[in-house]
Amino acid sequence: MLNFKLDQSLQLGGKKAIITGASQGIGAAMAKAFARAGVNLVLIARTEAKLQELVQELQLIYDRELQQNGEKEPDDYTSKLSFFAVDLTDEGAVKKIFSDIATLGGVDILINNAGKMTPKPLAFIKSEDIQSQFEINTFAVIRCCQYASRLMIRNGGGSIINISSMLGEYGQQGQSIYSASKAAVSGLTRSLAQELASYQIRVNSIAPGIINTPLISTLSNAEKEQILARIALQRLGKPEEVANTCLFLASDWSSYITGQVIDVDGGVHF
Amino acid sequence: MSQSETNNPQRLMKVFSQSLAISESQINDDLEYNSIQQWDSTAHMALVAQLEAEFNIMLDIDDIIDMSSVGKCKEILKKYNVEF
Ligand SMILES: NC(=O)c1ccc[n+]([C@@H]2O[C@H](COP(=O)([O-])OP(=O)(O)OC[C@H]3O[C@@H](n4cnc5c(N)ncnc54)[C@H](OP(=O)(O)O)[C@@H]3O)[C@@H](O)[C@H]2O)c1
């Protein structure tokens, strides 16, 4: 088993994590943080080129950590790093991924991070806007939890981390559907925590505030200003700050925490 | 019939016995979901996980819901090329 000095105390080395929405933003930051902790990764998003680029970056991270520990670089990274370029709203594709992951030895950590935001005032919301946001932000999360939990039961337990949103907790003008789809994730988290506890599976959510990623490019400057005015730390969050919380929830450092929605929002006040 | 096919009834018996924590003598085709205290929704999930691991398959949600007895389970597994 790889023995990484950095982040070693988390004792995540050799564990296997699935990160959805890993091609950019918060998901990519998580992938790097987990690689530094020696975690074997399965990355999922639609854009193959971005995943490939990230995998190369992650190999360098592994190499660097191994060198620092005086360990030899592996000839082959396939057991440490794999990716699937798929649309998670495709139910058949999700089942296929999890069948493949089962043959690779299962999973210990699932991070449901893929998501999308399409802000619109209520009067302008079409059925397809509702469908498309719920499909990825909520329905795909439910399906991944279904498949991953079965693999975790085989392995004797695990940790599921769902990325919801501050907007799911507090709401925001023009964000009714996104907020509803994320509030559903909080409800899912609290219920699954109860249901899966007897299998030693912990389920928690992280509700990020406003984090500097491509996702927030859809927010107007006025919306950003409005949110910034409510942040105690008076700045946007960094993807790495969400990734660090995720490491904590994935590790045994949070072994007595389940069913929680943890705000990573710089102290938003309403 | 291959060696693994002849073993399938025993393998299935073992999975049921372990995941429901009951003795093999209690297991027959007529044993139904929720008919005994041990086969509740919690055990059903453990049963599904163990079936998938034992037979190297990934079950559809509809099949998990339909798996209402040991006999029905065998029928469903046949769809996944697990012969009895
Ligand atoms: N940034 C924020 O301020 C903020 C605040 C609160 C919550 N969040 C939540 O945090 C999560 C990550 O956000 P982010 O800011 O990093 O967003 P982002 O930069 O837009 O990244 C979203 C990720 O999800 C993937 N994705 C989207 N639709 C997908 C689909 N149908 N199938 C597979 N992958 C899909 C994208 O990859 P592809 O396009 O390659 O598929 C991308 O990797 C989201 O759930 C978001 O709602 C973000």
Side-chain angles (χ1 to χ4, degrees), chain A residues 20-28 44-48 50-51 86-89 112-117 136-137 163-167 178 182 206-216 219 239:
Chain A
T20 74
S23 62
Q24 62 178 40
I26 295 171
I44 306 174
R46 289 165 302 183
T47 318
E48 184 160 3
K50 284 192 194 170
L51 288 171
V86 294
D87 187 335
L88 284 163
T89 65
N112 280 308
N113 166 74
K116 101 177 226 182
M117 181 169 76
I136 186 65
N137 294 348
I163 306 305
S164 59
S165 169
M166 160 185 88
L167 299 186
Y178 178 77
K182 290 295 190 178
I206 295 174
I210 184 158
I211 310 295
N212 205 357
T213 74
L215 185 107
I216 62 162
L219 294 178

mmCIF file of all heavy atoms in Angstrom, chain A residues 20-28 44-48 50-51 86-89 112-117 136-137 163-167 178 182 206-216 219 239, ligand 1:
data_model
loop_
_atom_site.group_PDB
_atom_site.id
_atom_site.type_symbol
_atom_site.label_atom_id
_atom_site.label_comp_id
_atom_site.label_asym_id
_atom_site.label_seq_id
_atom_site.Cartn_x
_atom_site.Cartn_y
_atom_site.Cartn_z
ATOM 1 N N THR A 20 -17.660 12.209 -8.987
ATOM 2 C CA THR A 20 -18.408 12.605 -10.186
ATOM 3 C C THR A 20 -18.197 14.105 -10.417
ATOM 4 O O THR A 20 -17.950 14.858 -9.476
ATOM 5 C CB THR A 20 -19.920 12.284 -10.073
ATOM 6 O OG1 THR A 20 -20.526 13.231 -9.172
ATOM 7 C CG2 THR A 20 -20.168 10.864 -9.583
ATOM 8 N N GLY A 21 -18.288 14.484 -11.680
ATOM 9 C CA GLY A 21 -18.066 15.896 -12.008
ATOM 10 C C GLY A 21 -16.633 16.293 -11.730
ATOM 11 O O GLY A 21 -16.347 17.372 -11.207
ATOM 12 N N ALA A 22 -15.709 15.386 -12.096
ATOM 13 C CA ALA A 22 -14.296 15.603 -11.732
ATOM 14 C C ALA A 22 -13.527 16.405 -12.768
ATOM 15 O O ALA A 22 -12.372 16.745 -12.546
ATOM 16 C CB ALA A 22 -13.611 14.249 -11.533
ATOM 17 N N SER A 23 -14.151 16.735 -13.897
ATOM 18 C CA SER A 23 -13.359 17.310 -14.991
ATOM 19 C C SER A 23 -12.919 18.755 -14.759
ATOM 20 O O SER A 23 -12.009 19.234 -15.424
ATOM 21 C CB SER A 23 -14.141 17.209 -16.310
ATOM 22 O OG SER A 23 -15.327 17.954 -16.230
ATOM 23 N N GLN A 24 -13.550 19.450 -13.820
ATOM 24 C CA GLN A 24 -13.167 20.853 -13.576
ATOM 25 C C GLN A 24 -13.681 21.290 -12.202
ATOM 26 O O GLN A 24 -14.339 20.512 -11.505
ATOM 27 C CB GLN A 24 -13.747 21.770 -14.661
ATOM 28 C CG GLN A 24 -15.273 21.764 -14.709
ATOM 29 C CD GLN A 24 -15.828 22.720 -15.747
ATOM 30 O OE1 GLN A 24 -15.293 22.834 -16.845
ATOM 31 N NE2 GLN A 24 -16.910 23.417 -15.411
ATOM 32 N N GLY A 25 -13.394 22.527 -11.855
ATOM 33 C CA GLY A 25 -13.955 23.144 -10.646
ATOM 34 C C GLY A 25 -13.690 22.357 -9.372
ATOM 35 O O GLY A 25 -12.584 21.854 -9.141
ATOM 36 N N ILE A 26 -14.725 22.234 -8.565
ATOM 37 C CA ILE A 26 -14.588 21.595 -7.243
ATOM 38 C C ILE A 26 -14.163 20.130 -7.391
ATOM 39 O O ILE A 26 -13.316 19.639 -6.644
ATOM 40 C CB ILE A 26 -15.930 21.707 -6.469
ATOM 41 C CG1 ILE A 26 -16.241 23.183 -6.157
ATOM 42 C CG2 ILE A 26 -15.885 20.892 -5.178
ATOM 43 C CD1 ILE A 26 -17.645 23.437 -5.597
ATOM 44 N N GLY A 27 -14.735 19.420 -8.366
ATOM 45 C CA GLY A 27 -14.422 17.995 -8.559
ATOM 46 C C GLY A 27 -12.949 17.775 -8.871
ATOM 47 O O GLY A 27 -12.322 16.847 -8.335
ATOM 48 N N ALA A 28 -12.384 18.624 -9.723
ATOM 49 C CA ALA A 28 -10.958 18.483 -10.067
ATOM 50 C C ALA A 28 -10.095 18.764 -8.841
ATOM 51 O O ALA A 28 -9.092 18.074 -8.600
ATOM 52 C CB ALA A 28 -10.605 19.424 -11.219
ATOM 53 N N ILE A 44 -15.390 10.686 -12.981
ATOM 54 C CA ILE A 44 -16.493 10.652 -13.952
ATOM 55 C C ILE A 44 -16.901 12.082 -14.343
ATOM 56 O O ILE A 44 -17.027 12.955 -13.480
ATOM 57 C CB ILE A 44 -17.732 9.927 -13.373
ATOM 58 C CG1 ILE A 44 -17.358 8.529 -12.859
ATOM 59 C CG2 ILE A 44 -18.839 9.821 -14.424
ATOM 60 C CD1 ILE A 44 -18.481 7.783 -12.148
ATOM 61 N N ALA A 45 -17.076 12.282 -15.636
ATOM 62 C CA ALA A 45 -17.662 13.523 -16.191
ATOM 63 C C ALA A 45 -17.909 13.231 -17.668
ATOM 64 O O ALA A 45 -17.593 12.134 -18.136
ATOM 65 C CB ALA A 45 -16.719 14.705 -16.013
ATOM 66 N N ARG A 46 -18.463 14.202 -18.391
ATOM 67 C CA ARG A 46 -18.751 13.915 -19.808
ATOM 68 C C ARG A 46 -17.563 14.187 -20.713
ATOM 69 O O ARG A 46 -17.388 13.541 -21.731
ATOM 70 C CB ARG A 46 -19.948 14.768 -20.270
ATOM 71 C CG ARG A 46 -21.267 14.331 -19.686
ATOM 72 C CD ARG A 46 -22.316 15.387 -19.878
ATOM 73 N NE ARG A 46 -21.891 16.651 -19.270
ATOM 74 C CZ ARG A 46 -22.612 17.752 -19.213
ATOM 75 N NH1 ARG A 46 -23.809 17.778 -19.757
ATOM 76 N NH2 ARG A 46 -22.161 18.836 -18.628
ATOM 77 N N THR A 47 -16.719 15.171 -20.361
ATOM 78 C CA THR A 47 -15.695 15.623 -21.304
ATOM 79 C C THR A 47 -14.395 14.827 -21.168
ATOM 80 O O THR A 47 -13.611 15.040 -20.231
ATOM 81 C CB THR A 47 -15.401 17.126 -21.082
ATOM 82 O OG1 THR A 47 -16.646 17.796 -20.880
ATOM 83 C CG2 THR A 47 -14.688 17.736 -22.268
ATOM 84 N N GLU A 48 -14.184 13.924 -22.123
ATOM 85 C CA GLU A 48 -13.052 13.001 -22.050
ATOM 86 C C GLU A 48 -11.703 13.736 -22.021
ATOM 87 O O GLU A 48 -10.815 13.400 -21.239
ATOM 88 C CB GLU A 48 -13.110 12.035 -23.240
ATOM 89 C CG GLU A 48 -12.030 10.990 -23.172
ATOM 90 C CD GLU A 48 -12.328 9.769 -24.022
ATOM 91 O OE1 GLU A 48 -13.361 9.750 -24.727
ATOM 92 O OE2 GLU A 48 -11.505 8.852 -23.992
ATOM 93 N N LYS A 50 -10.833 16.629 -20.943
ATOM 94 C CA LYS A 50 -10.509 17.248 -19.649
ATOM 95 C C LYS A 50 -10.124 16.186 -18.624
ATOM 96 O O LYS A 50 -9.227 16.393 -17.803
ATOM 97 C CB LYS A 50 -11.718 18.034 -19.127
ATOM 98 C CG LYS A 50 -11.933 19.360 -19.823
ATOM 99 C CD LYS A 50 -12.945 20.141 -19.031
ATOM 100 C CE LYS A 50 -13.470 21.316 -19.809
ATOM 101 N NZ LYS A 50 -14.616 21.948 -19.151
ATOM 102 N N LEU A 51 -10.796 15.054 -18.675
ATOM 103 C CA LEU A 51 -10.475 13.970 -17.729
ATOM 104 C C LEU A 51 -9.072 13.441 -17.991
ATOM 105 O O LEU A 51 -8.301 13.180 -17.065
ATOM 106 C CB LEU A 51 -11.509 12.839 -17.828
ATOM 107 C CG LEU A 51 -12.897 13.150 -17.263
ATOM 108 C CD1 LEU A 51 -13.890 12.052 -17.621
ATOM 109 C CD2 LEU A 51 -12.852 13.327 -15.741
ATOM 110 N N VAL A 86 -18.806 9.803 -19.307
ATOM 111 C CA VAL A 86 -20.216 9.478 -19.552
ATOM 112 C C VAL A 86 -21.131 10.569 -18.998
ATOM 113 O O VAL A 86 -20.735 11.338 -18.112
ATOM 114 C CB VAL A 86 -20.646 8.151 -18.872
ATOM 115 C CG1 VAL A 86 -19.959 6.944 -19.460
ATOM 116 C CG2 VAL A 86 -20.447 8.211 -17.380
ATOM 117 N N ASP A 87 -22.332 10.570 -19.545
ATOM 118 C CA ASP A 87 -23.363 11.463 -19.037
ATOM 119 C C ASP A 87 -24.088 10.719 -17.911
ATOM 120 O O ASP A 87 -24.703 9.675 -18.154
ATOM 121 C CB ASP A 87 -24.328 11.815 -20.170
ATOM 122 C CG ASP A 87 -25.331 12.876 -19.748
ATOM 123 O OD1 ASP A 87 -25.608 12.986 -18.538
ATOM 124 O OD2 ASP A 87 -25.836 13.586 -20.636
ATOM 125 N N LEU A 88 -24.022 11.257 -16.714
ATOM 126 C CA LEU A 88 -24.603 10.554 -15.557
ATOM 127 C C LEU A 88 -26.126 10.562 -15.557
ATOM 128 O O LEU A 88 -26.747 9.919 -14.712
ATOM 129 C CB LEU A 88 -24.081 11.189 -14.258
ATOM 130 C CG LEU A 88 -22.646 10.810 -13.898
ATOM 131 C CD1 LEU A 88 -22.078 11.780 -12.863
ATOM 132 C CD2 LEU A 88 -22.572 9.387 -13.355
ATOM 133 N N THR A 89 -26.720 11.275 -16.489
ATOM 134 C CA THR A 89 -28.182 11.225 -16.571
ATOM 135 C C THR A 89 -28.629 10.018 -17.400
ATOM 136 O O THR A 89 -29.817 9.755 -17.507
ATOM 137 C CB THR A 89 -28.771 12.526 -17.175
ATOM 138 O OG1 THR A 89 -28.333 12.636 -18.533
ATOM 139 C CG2 THR A 89 -28.316 13.746 -16.406
ATOM 140 N N ASN A 112 -20.660 12.531 -4.772
ATOM 141 C CA ASN A 112 -21.611 12.969 -5.792
ATOM 142 C C ASN A 112 -21.481 14.474 -5.938
ATOM 143 O O ASN A 112 -22.081 15.240 -5.189
ATOM 144 C CB ASN A 112 -23.041 12.607 -5.353
ATOM 145 C CG ASN A 112 -23.366 11.163 -5.610
ATOM 146 O OD1 ASN A 112 -23.185 10.667 -6.726
ATOM 147 N ND2 ASN A 112 -23.843 10.474 -4.592
ATOM 148 N N ASN A 113 -20.680 14.873 -6.911
ATOM 149 C CA ASN A 113 -20.361 16.296 -7.055
ATOM 150 C C ASN A 113 -20.893 16.901 -8.355
ATOM 151 O O ASN A 113 -21.115 18.101 -8.435
ATOM 152 C CB ASN A 113 -18.834 16.446 -6.964
ATOM 153 C CG ASN A 113 -18.351 17.797 -7.428
ATOM 154 O OD1 ASN A 113 -18.511 18.793 -6.725
ATOM 155 N ND2 ASN A 113 -17.768 17.854 -8.623
ATOM 156 N N ALA A 114 -21.103 16.066 -9.389
ATOM 157 C CA ALA A 114 -21.538 16.613 -10.688
ATOM 158 C C ALA A 114 -22.833 17.391 -10.511
ATOM 159 O O ALA A 114 -23.729 16.964 -9.778
ATOM 160 C CB ALA A 114 -21.748 15.483 -11.693
ATOM 161 N N GLY A 115 -22.917 18.534 -11.149
ATOM 162 C CA GLY A 115 -24.134 19.324 -11.012
ATOM 163 C C GLY A 115 -24.211 20.415 -12.053
ATOM 164 O O GLY A 115 -23.220 20.697 -12.742
ATOM 165 N N LYS A 116 -25.389 20.991 -12.153
ATOM 166 C CA LYS A 116 -25.544 22.114 -13.090
ATOM 167 C C LYS A 116 -26.533 23.117 -12.544
ATOM 168 O O LYS A 116 -27.415 22.765 -11.752
ATOM 169 C CB LYS A 116 -25.937 21.562 -14.459
ATOM 170 C CG LYS A 116 -27.382 21.630 -14.861
ATOM 171 C CD LYS A 116 -27.523 21.095 -16.261
ATOM 172 C CE LYS A 116 -28.396 22.016 -17.072
ATOM 173 N NZ LYS A 116 -28.625 21.540 -18.421
ATOM 174 N N MET A 117 -26.349 24.358 -12.955
ATOM 175 C CA MET A 117 -27.206 25.435 -12.451
ATOM 176 C C MET A 117 -27.702 26.264 -13.635
ATOM 177 O O MET A 117 -26.890 26.740 -14.428
ATOM 178 C CB MET A 117 -26.375 26.309 -11.503
ATOM 179 C CG MET A 117 -27.124 27.450 -10.884
ATOM 180 S SD MET A 117 -26.164 28.224 -9.555
ATOM 181 C CE MET A 117 -24.972 29.144 -10.470
ATOM 182 N N ILE A 136 -29.521 15.679 -13.201
ATOM 183 C CA ILE A 136 -28.119 15.564 -12.767
ATOM 184 C C ILE A 136 -27.950 15.888 -11.266
ATOM 185 O O ILE A 136 -27.219 15.197 -10.561
ATOM 186 C CB ILE A 136 -27.148 16.405 -13.654
ATOM 187 C CG1 ILE A 136 -25.698 16.146 -13.256
ATOM 188 C CG2 ILE A 136 -27.466 17.884 -13.665
ATOM 189 C CD1 ILE A 136 -25.191 14.755 -13.488
ATOM 190 N N ASN A 137 -28.646 16.917 -10.785
ATOM 191 C CA ASN A 137 -28.421 17.350 -9.393
ATOM 192 C C ASN A 137 -29.055 16.405 -8.372
ATOM 193 O O ASN A 137 -28.589 16.329 -7.235
ATOM 194 C CB ASN A 137 -28.998 18.753 -9.158
ATOM 195 C CG ASN A 137 -28.259 19.823 -9.952
ATOM 196 O OD1 ASN A 137 -27.198 19.563 -10.506
ATOM 197 N ND2 ASN A 137 -28.824 21.013 -10.027
ATOM 198 N N ILE A 163 -22.639 16.612 -2.719
ATOM 199 C CA ILE A 163 -22.413 18.059 -2.751
ATOM 200 C C ILE A 163 -23.744 18.736 -3.067
ATOM 201 O O ILE A 163 -24.256 18.639 -4.185
ATOM 202 C CB ILE A 163 -21.332 18.445 -3.793
ATOM 203 C CG1 ILE A 163 -20.036 17.652 -3.557
ATOM 204 C CG2 ILE A 163 -21.061 19.955 -3.740
ATOM 205 C CD1 ILE A 163 -19.431 17.751 -2.165
ATOM 206 N N SER A 164 -24.305 19.379 -2.042
ATOM 207 C CA SER A 164 -25.556 20.106 -2.252
ATOM 208 C C SER A 164 -25.204 21.574 -2.462
ATOM 209 O O SER A 164 -24.287 21.868 -3.229
ATOM 210 C CB SER A 164 -26.522 19.868 -1.090
ATOM 211 O OG SER A 164 -25.959 20.278 0.126
ATOM 212 N N SER A 165 -25.854 22.475 -1.804
ATOM 213 C CA SER A 165 -25.537 23.892 -2.004
ATOM 214 C C SER A 165 -26.170 24.732 -0.920
ATOM 215 O O SER A 165 -27.246 24.390 -0.398
ATOM 216 C CB SER A 165 -26.075 24.358 -3.359
ATOM 217 O OG SER A 165 -26.004 25.770 -3.448
ATOM 218 N N MET A 166 -25.518 25.846 -0.643
ATOM 219 C CA MET A 166 -26.101 26.850 0.254
ATOM 220 C C MET A 166 -27.503 27.236 -0.243
ATOM 221 O O MET A 166 -28.414 27.476 0.538
ATOM 222 C CB MET A 166 -25.160 28.061 0.220
ATOM 223 C CG MET A 166 -25.717 29.352 0.654
ATOM 224 S SD MET A 166 -24.481 30.642 0.390
ATOM 225 C CE MET A 166 -24.812 31.133 -1.283
ATOM 226 N N LEU A 167 -27.669 27.257 -1.576
ATOM 227 C CA LEU A 167 -28.963 27.679 -2.116
ATOM 228 C C LEU A 167 -30.061 26.663 -1.799
ATOM 229 O O LEU A 167 -31.233 27.011 -1.725
ATOM 230 C CB LEU A 167 -28.870 27.921 -3.627
ATOM 231 C CG LEU A 167 -27.886 29.021 -4.051
ATOM 232 C CD1 LEU A 167 -27.973 29.270 -5.543
ATOM 233 C CD2 LEU A 167 -28.158 30.321 -3.303
ATOM 234 N N TYR A 178 -32.880 25.054 -9.167
ATOM 235 C CA TYR A 178 -31.569 24.602 -8.656
ATOM 236 C C TYR A 178 -31.664 24.386 -7.139
ATOM 237 O O TYR A 178 -31.252 23.342 -6.623
ATOM 238 C CB TYR A 178 -30.504 25.648 -8.997
ATOM 239 C CG TYR A 178 -29.120 25.317 -8.476
ATOM 240 C CD1 TYR A 178 -28.319 24.377 -9.111
ATOM 241 C CD2 TYR A 178 -28.612 25.951 -7.336
ATOM 242 C CE1 TYR A 178 -27.042 24.079 -8.631
ATOM 243 C CE2 TYR A 178 -27.342 25.660 -6.853
ATOM 244 C CZ TYR A 178 -26.558 24.724 -7.508
ATOM 245 O OH TYR A 178 -25.313 24.428 -7.030
ATOM 246 N N LYS A 182 -31.246 20.845 -5.024
ATOM 247 C CA LYS A 182 -30.195 20.680 -4.014
ATOM 248 C C LYS A 182 -30.800 20.422 -2.625
ATOM 249 O O LYS A 182 -30.226 19.667 -1.825
ATOM 250 C CB LYS A 182 -29.294 21.917 -3.975
ATOM 251 C CG LYS A 182 -28.418 22.060 -5.222
ATOM 252 C CD LYS A 182 -27.410 20.931 -5.326
ATOM 253 C CE LYS A 182 -26.370 21.146 -6.398
ATOM 254 N NZ LYS A 182 -25.375 20.062 -6.466
ATOM 255 N N ILE A 206 -22.106 18.273 1.771
ATOM 256 C CA ILE A 206 -21.432 19.562 1.930
ATOM 257 C C ILE A 206 -22.278 20.571 1.155
ATOM 258 O O ILE A 206 -22.647 20.324 0.005
ATOM 259 C CB ILE A 206 -20.002 19.523 1.352
ATOM 260 C CG1 ILE A 206 -19.134 18.538 2.147
ATOM 261 C CG2 ILE A 206 -19.374 20.924 1.369
ATOM 262 C CD1 ILE A 206 -17.744 18.316 1.558
ATOM 263 N N ALA A 207 -22.576 21.675 1.823
ATOM 264 C CA ALA A 207 -23.341 22.733 1.156
ATOM 265 C C ALA A 207 -22.396 23.918 0.929
ATOM 266 O O ALA A 207 -22.222 24.755 1.820
ATOM 267 C CB ALA A 207 -24.535 23.143 2.012
ATOM 268 N N PRO A 208 -21.766 23.967 -0.253
ATOM 269 C CA PRO A 208 -20.844 25.086 -0.491
ATOM 270 C C PRO A 208 -21.607 26.397 -0.645
ATOM 271 O O PRO A 208 -22.758 26.409 -1.107
ATOM 272 C CB PRO A 208 -20.151 24.710 -1.812
ATOM 273 C CG PRO A 208 -20.474 23.275 -2.063
ATOM 274 C CD PRO A 208 -21.791 23.041 -1.390
ATOM 275 N N GLY A 209 -20.918 27.479 -0.279
ATOM 276 C CA GLY A 209 -21.459 28.813 -0.546
ATOM 277 C C GLY A 209 -21.106 29.162 -1.974
ATOM 278 O O GLY A 209 -21.334 28.357 -2.880
ATOM 279 N N ILE A 210 -20.506 30.327 -2.169
ATOM 280 C CA ILE A 210 -20.149 30.696 -3.543
ATOM 281 C C ILE A 210 -18.651 30.424 -3.734
ATOM 282 O O ILE A 210 -17.800 31.020 -3.087
ATOM 283 C CB ILE A 210 -20.623 32.132 -3.884
ATOM 284 C CG1 ILE A 210 -20.330 32.465 -5.327
ATOM 285 C CG2 ILE A 210 -20.103 33.167 -2.971
ATOM 286 C CD1 ILE A 210 -21.205 33.595 -5.854
ATOM 287 N N ILE A 211 -18.383 29.473 -4.606
ATOM 288 C CA ILE A 211 -17.021 28.973 -4.796
ATOM 289 C C ILE A 211 -16.563 29.367 -6.195
ATOM 290 O O ILE A 211 -17.340 29.242 -7.161
ATOM 291 C CB ILE A 211 -16.972 27.418 -4.651
ATOM 292 C CG1 ILE A 211 -17.676 26.951 -3.364
ATOM 293 C CG2 ILE A 211 -15.529 26.910 -4.726
ATOM 294 C CD1 ILE A 211 -17.060 27.385 -2.059
ATOM 295 N N ASN A 212 -15.321 29.799 -6.288
ATOM 296 C CA ASN A 212 -14.829 30.319 -7.561
ATOM 297 C C ASN A 212 -14.549 29.211 -8.586
ATOM 298 O O ASN A 212 -13.461 28.656 -8.624
ATOM 299 C CB ASN A 212 -13.562 31.140 -7.297
ATOM 300 C CG ASN A 212 -13.345 32.160 -8.376
ATOM 301 O OD1 ASN A 212 -14.111 32.212 -9.349
ATOM 302 N ND2 ASN A 212 -12.322 32.971 -8.216
ATOM 303 N N THR A 213 -15.557 28.864 -9.367
ATOM 304 C CA THR A 213 -15.437 27.828 -10.411
ATOM 305 C C THR A 213 -16.221 28.284 -11.646
ATOM 306 O O THR A 213 -16.972 29.258 -11.571
ATOM 307 C CB THR A 213 -16.049 26.486 -9.957
ATOM 308 O OG1 THR A 213 -17.477 26.616 -9.981
ATOM 309 C CG2 THR A 213 -15.594 26.058 -8.577
ATOM 310 N N PRO A 214 -16.079 27.546 -12.762
ATOM 311 C CA PRO A 214 -16.841 27.930 -13.959
ATOM 312 C C PRO A 214 -18.357 27.964 -13.726
ATOM 313 O O PRO A 214 -19.078 28.679 -14.415
ATOM 314 C CB PRO A 214 -16.477 26.830 -14.965
ATOM 315 C CG PRO A 214 -15.131 26.345 -14.534
ATOM 316 C CD PRO A 214 -15.138 26.442 -13.039
ATOM 317 N N LEU A 215 -18.850 27.208 -12.741
ATOM 318 C CA LEU A 215 -20.302 27.158 -12.510
ATOM 319 C C LEU A 215 -20.893 28.529 -12.220
ATOM 320 O O LEU A 215 -22.002 28.851 -12.651
ATOM 321 C CB LEU A 215 -20.618 26.207 -11.350
ATOM 322 C CG LEU A 215 -22.090 25.968 -11.063
ATOM 323 C CD1 LEU A 215 -22.494 24.570 -11.525
ATOM 324 C CD2 LEU A 215 -22.400 26.093 -9.584
ATOM 325 N N ILE A 216 -20.146 29.358 -11.482
ATOM 326 C CA ILE A 216 -20.741 30.633 -11.077
ATOM 327 C C ILE A 216 -20.660 31.691 -12.175
ATOM 328 O O ILE A 216 -21.110 32.816 -11.988
ATOM 329 C CB ILE A 216 -20.166 31.165 -9.736
ATOM 330 C CG1 ILE A 216 -18.662 31.448 -9.850
ATOM 331 C CG2 ILE A 216 -20.454 30.223 -8.590
ATOM 332 C CD1 ILE A 216 -18.169 32.359 -8.746
ATOM 333 N N LEU A 219 -23.865 33.293 -12.933
ATOM 334 C CA LEU A 219 -24.470 34.298 -12.046
ATOM 335 C C LEU A 219 -24.132 35.702 -12.549
ATOM 336 O O LEU A 219 -23.017 35.948 -13.016
ATOM 337 C CB LEU A 219 -23.915 34.162 -10.618
ATOM 338 C CG LEU A 219 -24.228 32.897 -9.819
ATOM 339 C CD1 LEU A 219 -23.549 32.966 -8.458
ATOM 340 C CD2 LEU A 219 -25.729 32.754 -9.636
ATOM 341 N N PRO A 239 -12.148 26.143 -4.522
ATOM 342 C CA PRO A 239 -12.518 24.728 -4.661
ATOM 343 C C PRO A 239 -11.790 23.840 -3.655
ATOM 344 O O PRO A 239 -12.354 22.885 -3.125
ATOM 345 C CB PRO A 239 -12.092 24.390 -6.093
ATOM 346 C CG PRO A 239 -12.081 25.687 -6.817
ATOM 347 C CD PRO A 239 -11.745 26.746 -5.806
HETATM 348 N N1 LIG C 1 -19.329 26.796 -7.501
HETATM 349 C C1 LIG C 1 -20.181 27.096 -6.587
HETATM 350 O O1 LIG C 1 -20.296 28.225 -6.150
HETATM 351 C C2 LIG C 1 -21.077 26.025 -5.983
HETATM 352 C C3 LIG C 1 -21.854 26.369 -4.879
HETATM 353 C C4 LIG C 1 -22.670 25.425 -4.311
HETATM 354 C C5 LIG C 1 -22.723 24.158 -4.816
HETATM 355 N N2 LIG C 1 -21.955 23.836 -5.902
HETATM 356 C C6 LIG C 1 -22.068 22.471 -6.400
HETATM 357 O O2 LIG C 1 -20.786 21.880 -6.451
HETATM 358 C C7 LIG C 1 -20.725 20.939 -7.498
HETATM 359 C C8 LIG C 1 -19.517 21.244 -8.397
HETATM 360 O O3 LIG C 1 -19.667 22.555 -8.880
HETATM 361 P P1 LIG C 1 -18.546 23.350 -9.688
HETATM 362 O O4 LIG C 1 -18.656 24.739 -9.239
HETATM 363 O O5 LIG C 1 -17.255 22.668 -9.634
HETATM 364 O O6 LIG C 1 -19.199 23.255 -11.138
HETATM 365 P P2 LIG C 1 -18.550 23.113 -12.589
HETATM 366 O O7 LIG C 1 -17.226 23.770 -12.622
HETATM 367 O O8 LIG C 1 -19.591 23.545 -13.552
HETATM 368 O O9 LIG C 1 -18.338 21.532 -12.699
HETATM 369 C C9 LIG C 1 -19.427 20.665 -12.806
HETATM 370 C C10 LIG C 1 -18.901 19.276 -13.064
HETATM 371 O O10 LIG C 1 -20.010 18.389 -13.257
HETATM 372 C C11 LIG C 1 -19.834 17.673 -14.480
HETATM 373 N N3 LIG C 1 -21.142 17.372 -15.039
HETATM 374 C C12 LIG C 1 -22.161 18.227 -15.285
HETATM 375 N N4 LIG C 1 -23.189 17.587 -15.850
HETATM 376 C C13 LIG C 1 -22.836 16.275 -15.939
HETATM 377 C C14 LIG C 1 -23.469 15.116 -16.441
HETATM 378 N N5 LIG C 1 -24.706 15.163 -16.961
HETATM 379 N N6 LIG C 1 -22.812 13.932 -16.388
HETATM 380 C C15 LIG C 1 -21.556 13.864 -15.881
HETATM 381 N N7 LIG C 1 -20.909 14.936 -15.391
HETATM 382 C C16 LIG C 1 -21.533 16.133 -15.425
HETATM 383 C C17 LIG C 1 -19.004 18.615 -15.352
HETATM 384 O O11 LIG C 1 -18.258 17.947 -16.318
HETATM 385 P P3 LIG C 1 -18.627 17.794 -17.874
HETATM 386 O O12 LIG C 1 -19.187 19.089 -18.316
HETATM 387 O O13 LIG C 1 -17.347 17.390 -18.496
HETATM 388 O O14 LIG C 1 -19.638 16.693 -17.890
HETATM 389 C C18 LIG C 1 -18.055 19.207 -14.312
HETATM 390 O O15 LIG C 1 -16.979 18.328 -14.103
HETATM 391 C C19 LIG C 1 -22.060 21.030 -8.239
HETATM 392 O O16 LIG C 1 -22.923 20.008 -7.783
HETATM 393 C C20 LIG C 1 -22.595 22.374 -7.828
HETATM 394 O O17 LIG C 1 -23.993 22.438 -7.877
HETATM 395 C C21 LIG C 1 -21.135 24.744 -6.491
#
